[in-house]
Amino acid sequence: KELDHATLTNKIEYTAFTAEGDMIPVPFLTTGEFANPIAMAVFKDHYGTAVIDGDTVKYFKEGSLTATITGLSNALSISTSDGGNIAVVTDNQIKHYNLIGNEFHYNNTLSVTTGLIRPTCVAMRPGSYDKLIIDGDKINYYMWTGSSLELNPVLSKTVTGLQSMGKYMTSAYTESI
């Protein structure tokens, strides 16, 4: 599984390596069409993917649509971590959701809803609730303290010109598993 990858165009195409080292498509993990695919994240602990499709996050488990998050606006980026955790950049906030059963539940404690100016990307640190958030020219590191998510200025960095790079517009998005 660690060498597999998924590619997002107007659908998710999943590819895996065989024992002989050949890459082959995996049809049962390939999903149907999307209306407006923006970003994708792949779960490392199971065959699950999450896609921002317009203002909705769609979660696929083993190729089947299992859960959705609706009512988002201006969704830009998504990240996943083990245990069904998802973070989404939407409306200048980072919203965290937990997958419980086949439903997503908003988690205010793990969300970053204040102090951001113009976030464009989020990445969740594997094995923790920590988050890296790109906000303008800053890469902010938010660390889980055991009871709250706090900005860690020591691990945060400023990269001059980062905000002027703009957003990418690709015809495909690939994530390694």
Side-chain angles (χ1 to χ4, degrees):
K1 182 169 175 6
E2 50 277 344
L3 297 177
D4 296 357
H5 69 269
T7 303
L8 175 65
T9 55
N10 63 339
K11 62 183 176 180
I12 296 173
E13 295 184 58
Y14 203 94
T15 308
F17 276 95
T18 66
E20 295 79 31
D22 298 320
M23 289 194 73
I24 60 167
V26 183
F28 77 92
L29 294 176
T30 297
T31 65
E33 304 281 320
F34 296 107
N36 183 20
I38 296 169
M40 170 186 70
V42 177
F43 285 91
K44 311 295 186 236
D45 61 343
H46 66 281
Y47 288 108
T49 53
V51 175
I52 298 174
D53 188 15
D55 290 333
T56 300
V57 171
K58 296 179 178 179
Y59 166 65
F60 295 86
K61 184 175 182 180
E62 297 180 3
S64 296
L65 181 61
T66 305
T68 59
I69 301 168
T70 59
L72 303 175
S73 61
N74 302 313
L76 299 174
S77 176
I78 189 166
S79 183
T80 60
S81 69
D82 294 351
N85 290 284
I86 288 182
V88 182
V89 177
T90 180
D91 278 337
N92 291 326
Q93 300 177 351
I94 309 302
K95 293 187 176 181
H96 189 106
Y97 296 86
N98 301 103
L99 182 65
I100 301 171
N102 287 333
E103 292 183 15
F104 282 106
H105 297 270
Y106 177 70
N107 186 323
N108 188 60
T109 303
L110 295 175
S111 296
V112 181
T113 58
T114 60
L116 300 173
I117 298 167
R118 203 172 51 226
T120 56
C121 187
V122 61
M124 296 175 65
R125 184 170 176 243
S128 77
Y129 295 119
D130 296 2
K131 293 175 176 66
L132 285 158
I133 300 170
I134 295 178
D135 188 15
D137 281 346
K138 296 180 181 176
I139 302 172
N140 291 323
Y141 192 99
Y142 285 81
M143 181 178 285
W144 177 247
T145 65
S147 60
S148 64
L149 203 57
E150 301 290 334
L151 176 64
N152 182 326
V154 174
L155 296 177
S156 298
K157 301 293 176 204
T158 298
V159 179
T160 304
L162 186 61
Q163 72 176 345
S164 63
M165 291 176 142
K167 298 180 187 115
Y168 62 90
M169 185 64 65
T170 62
S171 58
Y173 177 94
T174 301
E175 181 165 321
S176 178
I177 297 182

